[in-house]
Amino acid sequence: MSDVDVAANLKAVTDEIAAAAEQVDRASDAVTLVAVSKTHDADHIRPALDAGHRVFGENRVQEAQGKWPSLKDDFNAVELHLIGPLQTNKADDAVALFDIIETVDRPKLIRALVKAIDKIGRRPGCFIQVNTGEEEQKAGCLPDDTDALVAQAREAGLEVLGLMCIPPLDEEPSLHFALLADLAKRNGLNQLSMGMSGDYETAVTFGATHVRVGTAIFGTRPKPVA
Ligand SMILES: *Cc1c(COP(=O)(O)O)cnc(C)c1O
């Protein structure tokens, strides 16, 4: 048994979100907590479900396929977010399992998702991932390409809900949160997925509608994941 109290951590993070929202006169229920359960096994995730939490994030399709179908059998109304890079050859599997795909970042993936949606008969909502730090190794479209990619995704028939970003580790995240909020606004998008364990309160003050929090809820991950 792990000595991490997942239910207590969930409550603490939820309270912090509410406090941050209040600071900027936002309603606390305007922020969805995506509990990032990557690398954790079903037994470590279950206490969060028992506590009534229903929104989770995973970053690998195959790993999620291993644990979520049976958890979804045991608990109703689970909403699963894909928050890791998606390869086009996994588009069918992703569309079959996930409710929201947060990492749409290139035309080829848009085409693969449209095809998968037709084939599988499910239509997950999507976020366009923006590489706000223009980091070489990081997924996401460049800020300058965001407008075109949003337009393309919409034209192709994806349900584009908002934008997502992962700021560079060694930079002040606020600038990135502000940039993402700007890009969303000018594209008529009102959902922003930004903020992780280290900076979710800041993200909420910059308008995050979704924060993706793993470590602060489930504790340190068993193995490092990129
Ligand atoms: C792992 C991960 C998170 C959660 O990170 P923590 O620092 O553990 O809260 C959030 N977003 C993405 C895209 C991730 O891969």
Side-chain angles (χ1 to χ4, degrees), residues 11 16 28 68 90 92 117 130 133 145 172 200 207:
K11 166 120 187 18
E16 294 286 347
S28 58
W68 279 100
K90 298 260 174 70
D92 285 4
I117 286 166
V130 184
D145 296 338
E172 172 56 46
Y200 66 91

Side-chain angles (χ1 to χ4, degrees), residues 36 38 59 83-84 103 129 164-166 195-198 212-216 219 221 225-226:
V36 176
K38 66 188 185 194
N59 72 332
I83 61 169
T103 50
Q129 182 179 355
M164 177 272 214
C165 77
I166 310 169
M196 315 190 351
S197 289
R212 310 175 308 266
V213 179
T215 310
R221 279 181 283 276
V225 166

Side-chain angles (χ1 to χ4, degrees), residues 36-42 45 57-69 80 90 97-98 221-223 225:
V36 176
S37 48
K38 66 188 185 194
T39 77
H40 295 292
D41 60 26
I45 299 170
E58 289 281 346
N59 72 332
R60 290 177 186 207
V61 174
Q62 211 169 341
E63 183 192 333
Q65 279 176 321
K67 55 193 177 185
W68 279 100
L80 205 55
K90 298 260 174 70
L97 181 63
F98 288 91
R221 279 181 283 276
K223 49 185 187 297
V225 166

